[in-house]
Each structure stands twice: as structure tokens, then as C-alpha cells.
Amino acid sequence: MGSVSLKIGDGTARFRRTSICSSAVNLLMLFSVVTTNLFALYAFSSHSQANSPLLHSSNNISLVSQHLSLILREIDSSQRKLAQMEKQMLGYESIDISRPNIVPELKLFLQRHQLPLGKDSRTGITEMVSSVGHSCEKSTDLLSQYMSYKVFDRCPDDWSLGQKLILRACEPLPRRRCLAKTVQKQDLSKSPDSLWRSVSNKSVNWSGLGCKSFDCLKGKKLSKECVGCFDLGNEKDRFVKVKGKNDFLIDDVLGLGSGKIRIGFDISGGSGTFAARMAEKNVTVITNTLNNGAPFSEFIAARGLFPLFLSLDHRFPFLDNVFDLIHASSGLDVEGKAEKLEFLMFDLDRVLKPRGLFWLDNFYCANDEKKKELTRMIERFGYKKLKWVIGEKADAQVYLSAVLQKPVRA
């Protein structure tokens, strides 16, 4: 069996085979029809077998009423099963917008809209559904707070609330109909001078942050990858001067790519220095970042680089096999859980091109077992080891640095 779908515009018709889910729907409908007919047949046969219609008329009416009630319940149950199967076929389950704590803007955003021409033949959907993270269901109070604002007015200064939702896996966030807060954006330098020029405090929204200036951030250790990373004077030596055997030079790594490194993805954290160094080599790098304790996104953008405000729990919004280079560090080890690391590694492998380079830069190994676990996982991907160094730093902690090449898979 199959279904015919019309394509508006070119006048052609296409025949599409029935999927397993649609076959199940047909079987369920057939079962409902057969059941209904059997109950009806039984009711009428019982009525015809009565010896005395006058004597048993009340009993027959009661019996028919019972059968009709049973049939109606069966139809209602079948309709609920069909609705549930349709949701499973479409692949989404939304927030219950009938709850009393859901604000009107969130209800309006999540409201489903029927397609004007019915079911779409390519995707199988019948409704337009707004995209919102499934874990938002567990944070509806915060989400309603985020969606409480005056329409067409200025948005509340609540970027930190949005980030809190993202870190709770409420990602993507719903769109809003309000104007985001702006900053003065003064003293921005022209490229390429902007790569190493100090960023003005006035170009950043400091709300929700402990520090209110870059001078305050210069001496802070915000993560293993960001120790004074807002001090561009200290950052200038990174990737061009070797401080230890685990440090690789950018020129050496680019040489391993045979001159074919053009675009890259950096998930190492920090203030964008890796992307700045690559920009000097005419390589475009997207830096994944969140504003955890500091205005990383604004700082990177002020340097003339591309920040991507996205958590590492999110599937990366890129097609397969697009990047020539991926740069990662200890931030790769999401929450220290092996399963989360595997999911992240598989997604990084997905967006990396065949023969592309994966640069693991000073990955902190808390113990020997952690080092073995990471090594086993890398070996399962079948990457070629172009550089592989394990060493200790001054703090006697073990770090792994490597440059790996993704194989070509049939």
C-alpha cells in the first residue's frame, strides 16, 4: 500500500510507500471498525432472538444501550491511541500549556499551528511546532519567568537567567518578542588590530557577574583553560612559544594538515586566543563558549572573532564533515562522566572532515585510569596518531596532548 502526495508548483504527483507507523495506524483503525461491527451485529441478533418483544423490550433497550456505551468507549480509546501514535510518529512531545503557571507569551509561542494544506508529504508533519528543549518541562517556573516581559518593549536584563536554563538542558530557549539590552560598544578596534587590543569595559554587559571590569578578571583562575586569560599581554605567547613538552606550536600543527586547514571549531574555552592565532594564519575558527563567571562571548566578539553561545550538552548545529580542525582541552571531559564524554566525542567526530585534525591540547588526566579510558576511546575511533605526548607539569599533574587524524570511512 502507499499514499499519493501532491507537490504544489510543478503539478507533479509522487507515490510514497507506507511506513511501519502508518501501517500500524491502518491496522488499529481496521480493528476499531471490525470491533464496532461485531458489537452492532451482536446487539441486533440478540434483539431478533427475543420471543416476546412486548415482554422483553425494556431489557433489549438496556442491552443495546450498554453495547452502544461500550462501542463509544472503544472508539474513544482508539482515538487516544491514534493521537499518541501520531505524536510518536512526529517525534515530539511539548510542554502542557494548560498549566496555570504557564505565562501567556510562552503559551503563544508553544501553540501548535495546523499546516494549511494538511500533512506534509516530505516530513510527515501536520502541525508547526516551536522548538524548545525537552528539559524545559522540568524548569517551567524559570521558563515562565524568562518569558515574562512586555511585548515589543525592552527585554528584562536577564541573560544570566537564560544561561541558567541552558545549563539545565533547557536548550534551545524559546524566542521572545522584546528588544535585548544594548551596551555602548565604544572603542572597538579595526581588524586585525582588534585581535590583541584591549577591550573597553563599556563594550560589555556586566550584570549578573562578580567582576565589573577586565582588570578584575586579569588575575582570576576561571577554569583550567582560563588562568588570567583576559590579560592579552600574557596570552600573546600562547601557541607560538613552547613552555613545556605538552605545548604544540600552531605552525607545526598546521603543517600536519598539509596546508588544507581552512575552518576550525574550538571547544577549549578561554578568551578566544586560539581563534586569534588561527586568524593570523587565515584560518577561520568558531569558538564555543558560555559566560561562566566572565563575559567570554562579548570579549571574543570584540576581538573580531566568532563566539558560539552553546553548551557542550547540545548537539552542534553543523552538518556532518564540515570542519578541517577541532581544538579541545580539559573542558572535553564533561562532568567527568564516561558516557557524556562518548556522546560529545561522537558529535565532534561527526562534524570533523575525513583526514581532518583533532587537536587535544593539555587534557588533564586526574589519574592513570582516566588516561587509559581516554586512550581506549580514541583508539576505538581509529584515528591516526600524528603527535602523542604525556607529561607532567609543575604541579605534578598528568596531561595528555595529541594531534589525531580522522580516518576515511566507507
Side-chain angles (χ1 to χ4, degrees):
M1 295 179 65
S3 61
V4 176
S5 61
L6 297 178
K7 182 179 179 183
I8 306 301
D10 60 1
T12 60
R14 294 184 178 179
F15 182 83
R16 187 181 60 168
R17 291 185 179 275
T18 304
S19 64
I20 296 176
C21 291
S22 61
S23 299
V25 172
N26 292 334
L27 289 174
L28 184 58
M29 293 179 65
L30 180 62
F31 172 77
S32 300
V33 172
V34 171
T35 304
T36 302
N37 289 332
L38 287 176
F39 277 123
L41 179 62
Y42 176 75
F44 283 113
S45 63
S46 299
H47 179 73
S48 63
Q49 291 174 2
N51 295 325
S52 177
L54 295 176
L55 182 64
H56 301 289
S57 59
S58 61
N59 292 334
N60 289 336
I61 292 173
S62 176
L63 183 61
V64 169
S65 299
Q66 292 177 9
H67 286 315
L68 287 175
S69 298
L70 185 60
I71 290 169
L72 290 175
R73 286 198 299 270
E74 185 69 25
I75 293 173
D76 183 62
S77 175
S78 299
Q79 288 176 341
R80 288 198 300 269
K81 290 179 181 179
L82 283 171
Q84 184 63 32
M85 291 181 68
E86 183 181 18
K87 289 181 180 179
Q88 294 173 357
M89 289 167 60
L90 295 176
Y92 63 77
E93 187 70 53
S94 186
I95 296 174
D96 182 8
I97 61 176
S98 64
R99 295 180 183 179
N101 62 332
I102 303 296
V103 296
E105 273 296 284
L106 185 56
K107 288 182 180 180
L108 182 62
F109 179 79
L110 294 177
Q111 185 177 353
R112 299 175 180 180
H113 301 279
Q114 295 290 332
L115 296 181
L117 299 178
K119 188 174 182 180
D120 181 74
S121 61
R122 292 185 178 181
T123 61
I125 64 173
T126 59
E127 304 170 311
M128 293 301 297
V129 184
S130 299
S131 177
V132 65
H134 71 279
S135 289
C136 293
E137 172 76 18
K138 301 177 181 178
S139 303
T140 50
D141 291 339
L142 280 179
L143 190 61
S144 289
Q145 182 182 342
Y146 178 75
M147 294 297 288
S148 298
Y149 55 87
K150 292 182 180 180
V151 179
F152 300 117
D153 203 346
R154 296 189 179 185
C155 298
D157 188 9
D158 60 353
W159 70 265
S160 56
L161 174 60
Q163 180 168 278
K164 184 183 294 186
L165 284 165
I166 289 174
L167 292 174
R168 292 188 177 192
C170 181
E171 188 178 27
L173 291 173
R175 290 188 173 123
R176 303 199 291 189
R177 297 186 296 166
C178 59
L179 303 172
K181 180 182 178 181
T182 59
V183 293
Q184 296 183 37
K185 294 287 183 185
Q186 294 181 350
D187 303 325
L188 293 179
S189 303
K190 294 182 179 180
S191 181
D193 294 338
S194 61
L195 295 176
W196 304 104
R197 189 71 60 85
S198 298
V199 177
S200 170
N201 293 324
K202 295 180 180 180
S203 65
V204 172
N205 178 14
W206 294 95
S207 65
L209 299 173
C211 284
K212 304 301 179 183
S213 69
F214 288 113
D215 287 335
C216 172
L217 291 171
K218 284 183 178 179
K220 287 188 174 293
K221 180 180 180 180
L222 299 171
S223 66
K224 285 184 176 294
E225 294 75 29
C226 183
V227 181
C229 66
F230 287 93
D231 185 351
L232 296 183
N234 292 333
E235 288 283 287
K236 273 198 170 184
D237 290 338
R238 293 193 66 192
F239 308 111
V240 293
K241 290 185 179 181
V242 174
K243 295 182 180 179
K245 68 176 185 177
N246 283 68
D247 297 331
F248 300 155
L249 300 180
I250 276 184
D251 287 337
D252 293 342
V253 175
L254 291 178
L256 296 173
S258 304
K260 297 180 180 179
I261 306 298
R262 302 154 303 157
I263 56 174
F265 186 35
D266 181 21
I267 66 165
S268 65
S271 58
T273 295
F274 178 78
R277 283 298 179 201
M278 283 295 183
E280 293 176 334
K281 305 295 181 180
N282 295 320
V283 177
T284 301
V285 170
I286 297 174
T287 304
N288 187 83
T289 183
L290 287 173
N291 282 12
N292 286 331
F296 289 97
S297 296
E298 295 97 321
F299 190 83
I300 292 171
R303 298 178 74 177
L305 304 168
F306 187 167
L308 181 67
F309 193 75
L310 191 74
S311 73
L312 294 182
D313 289 327
H314 195 291
R315 184 180 189 269
F316 295 121
F318 309 114
L319 195 62
D320 304 352
N321 309 310
V322 294
F323 288 109
D324 305 309
L325 171 71
I326 289 177
H327 178 250
S329 189
S330 295
L332 183 72
D333 191 15
V334 184
E335 300 177 6
K337 296 181 179 179
E339 295 83 3
K340 298 201 73 171
L341 177 58
E342 283 188 357
F343 275 107
L344 177 55
M345 280 292 298
F346 271 98
D347 206 34
L348 291 172
D349 176 83
R350 178 183 65 81
V351 300
L352 183 62
K353 286 183 178 179
R355 297 193 178 92
L357 301 183
F358 178 71
W359 181 353
L360 188 60
D361 187 7
N362 283 281
F363 181 90
Y364 170 62
C365 301
N367 48 53
D368 191 58
E369 181 58 34
K370 189 68 179 180
K371 180 186 67 178
K372 292 180 180 178
E373 176 186 294
L374 180 64
T375 302
R376 286 194 297 266
M377 182 177 4
I378 291 174
E379 289 174 346
R380 285 201 297 269
F381 281 93
Y383 281 31
K384 181 180 180 181
K385 297 179 182 178
L386 304 181
K387 293 176 74 73
W388 185 275
V389 176
I390 298 175
E392 292 185 0
K393 291 193 174 183
D395 53 7
Q397 294 179 328
V398 177
Y399 289 83
L400 167 63
S401 291
V403 178
L404 311 166
Q405 187 175 49
K406 179 179 175 178
V408 178
R409 306 188 185 106

